Amino acid sequence: MRAAIFTEQNGPLSVENVDPIDPGPRDVVVRITASGVCHSDLHVITGGLPMPPPAILGHEGTGIVEAVGPEVKGLRVGDRVIGSFIPACGTCWFCLRDESHLCENTYTVMAAPRAHRHDHTPLMTMTGLGTFADMMTCDEMSLVKIETDLPDEQLALIGCGFTTGVGAALNTAKVQPGDTVAVIGCGGVGQSVIQGAKVAGAAQIIAIDLVPYKRESALALGATHVVDPAEADAVEQVMALTGGRGVDYAFEVIGVPDLIVQAFNMARTGGAAVAVGVPHFMDSITIPSFPLVLSEKRLLGCVYGSAQVRRDFPRLVSLVQAGRLDLGGMVSRTMGLDDINEAFRAMKDGEVIRSVLV
Ligand code: NAD
Ligand code: ZN
């Protein structure tokens, strides 16, 4: 099989032929048909998300089941599947409480080596998936079967960015009709928060991004207002747009500590900041304590849009098929596995909402 390997921090990924390790009894072999390129992959390369090289990156993908181990119960050869970057085992303490986005088996699936380089070095995979490849072997609990005609390059985004963003609005914040929302950072995940807020019926959706193309795309995908933070203080601009009150929900979708604090400062009295962007693993934040208590402001963490993937993947597919959510508008470019480093360049230079490897 061919895969894009993370070999050294801040270096380019190396596309190589590698030897897959034989699947275990609960494993599934998937032929990958599309994989989105998410900023979390870049965080691994730059060291913000700790993962030792060498490893196969990619955690936002879809494909077709090629083989199943003898103990696999829910999947068959030929099934169309989306990878879940957090497994959903269905039986752990969290899964039994409808919190599969916190499934206890996350670290178990991530620890399994799935292939060898030609020098026999074992390769781990990002989040137990490793979608920057033509094949992957993963535990059954990391896969969700999907029946739809949506194209592969769209379906891939449900594996991470789309579910995380839409879920941040619908599940984590629980945006209500008429609410006001601000979104700091309008990449693949931020644009999905905007779409989630729109489908929830938010009255005002303020998109904040430094890049003009991202602000224009946000308007096309559901934002009602845009803010250029380079023009004037973003908090002041949001206050001006909300009659001095602030928004019900302010989402930080970049991963910068100061911007999480900024989101907190944009939230109205009684409102909430939702931290979706992944900060560097050594970062901390300091928030003003008075408004936390006396203005009853809340700060919510958000992993995977608090999604219950076996419920939410089909739900998102239905909303896309019904024309209520726009997945096609999120796919800026499709390219081959060999173009992976170009995809990261385009992300860093703000040229794309999402690049998808097909
Ligand atoms: P992206 O690179 O596509 O988007 C980031 C956006 O932020 C870009 O549009 C960029 O122009 C904008 N930006 C950067 N600095 C800015 C600033 N100072 N002010 C305003 N805008 C600024 O990234 P993405 O793939 O959308 O991911 C966004 C974040 O979400 C990343 O940190 C990623 O790791 C994280 N993420 C979190 C989860 C989760 O479960 N919580 C899941 C997926 C991704
Ligand atoms: Zn991701």
Side-chain angles (χ1 to χ4, degrees):
M1 62 181 257
R2 293 181 79 238
I5 316 290
F6 164 52
T7 59
E8 55 166 337
Q9 204 171 312
N10 293 315
L13 298 190
S14 162
V15 179
E16 300 176 6
N17 287 313
V18 298
D19 301 316
I21 293 175
D22 286 344
R26 286 189 307 275
D27 289 339
V28 178
V29 180
V30 177
R31 180 171 55 80
I32 295 167
T33 50
S35 173
V37 181
C38 171
H39 206 115
S40 299
D41 298 296
L42 189 56
H43 286 324
V44 172
I45 296 170
T46 55
L49 253 175
M51 175 164 199
I56 304 174
L57 299 191
H59 61 281
E60 181 180 272
T62 186
I64 306 288
V65 172
E66 288 268 313
V68 294
E71 290 173 23
V72 169
K73 299 220 165 46
L75 293 171
R76 290 187 184 169
V77 172
D79 282 347
R80 206 171 182 200
V81 289
I82 301 176
S84 174
F85 82 77
I86 293 174
C89 75
T91 54
C92 75
W93 193 90
F94 293 96
C95 282
L96 289 175
R97 281 156 188 78
D98 291 334
E99 294 179 358
S100 72
H101 59 299
L102 306 173
C103 175
E104 279 175 358
N105 283 294
T106 303
Y107 295 100
T108 318
V109 300
M110 284 187 209
R114 292 303 192 178
H116 287 118
R117 288 178 99 184
H118 277 177
D119 63 2
H120 302 294
T121 329
L123 290 163
M124 307 295 195
T125 58
M126 183 148 174
T127 72
L129 294 174
T131 59
F132 294 162
D134 50 12
M135 302 290 290
M136 71 175 175
T137 302
C138 57
D139 195 290
E140 179 183 16
M141 64 180 129
S142 298
L143 296 170
V144 177
K145 180 178 168 175
I146 287 289
E147 291 176 72
T148 175
D149 295 331
L150 286 181
D152 294 317
E153 66 272 20
Q154 294 186 25
L155 211 54
L157 305 196
I158 292 180
C160 178
F162 199 61
T163 298
T164 300
V166 177
L170 296 184
N171 299 324
T172 314
K174 299 188 173 65
V175 172
Q176 298 296 305
D179 277 353
T180 55
V181 164
V183 180
I184 309 174
C186 303
V189 185
Q191 302 283 357
S192 303
V193 175
I194 290 168
Q195 294 209 49
K198 182 185 173 194
V199 84
Q204 196 179 21
I205 303 172
I206 305 167
I208 304 163
D209 202 292
L210 287 166
V211 177
Y213 158 66
K214 304 298 180 94
R215 300 196 296 272
E216 286 154 23
S217 304
L219 286 171
L221 291 170
T224 58
H225 299 77
V226 288
V227 159
D228 177 359
E231 230 169 56
D233 180 71
V235 177
E236 282 171 19
Q237 293 192 68
V238 167
M239 288 299 165
L241 287 166
T242 53
R245 188 185 288 141
V247 289
D248 295 306
Y249 296 101
F251 298 83
E252 198 279 355
V253 203
I254 303 169
V256 175
D258 284 351
L259 298 181
I260 300 174
V261 178
Q262 198 176 76
F264 188 77
N265 292 335
M266 275 174 198
R268 68 163 171 85
T269 292
V274 186
V276 185
V278 177
H280 189 284
F281 76 106
M282 295 298 283
D283 282 344
S284 304
I285 56 166
T286 304
I287 52 162
S289 50
F290 242 48
L292 178 71
V293 180
L294 299 177
S295 302
E296 234 185 46
K297 285 200 194 186
R298 289 163 297 141
L299 176 59
L300 309 175
C302 171
V303 66
Y304 217 163
S306 314
Q308 308 310 291
V309 290
R310 300 189 193 288
R311 174 198 70 191
D312 287 349
F313 284 2
R315 177 161 84 146
L316 292 176
V317 165
S318 303
L319 285 164
V320 173
Q321 285 173 338
R324 305 288 303 277
L325 291 172
D326 181 1
L327 249 182
M330 308 274 300
V331 179
S332 314
R333 285 180 198 169
T334 54
M335 47 181 78
L337 182 62
D338 290 298
D339 301 318
I340 180 69
N341 295 305
E342 162 60 14
F344 284 119
R345 186 210 57 75
M347 173 190 288
K348 284 189 256 188
D349 289 347
E351 290 175 8
V352 290
I353 306 299
R354 265 293 192 264
S355 298
V356 183
L357 309 179
V358 290

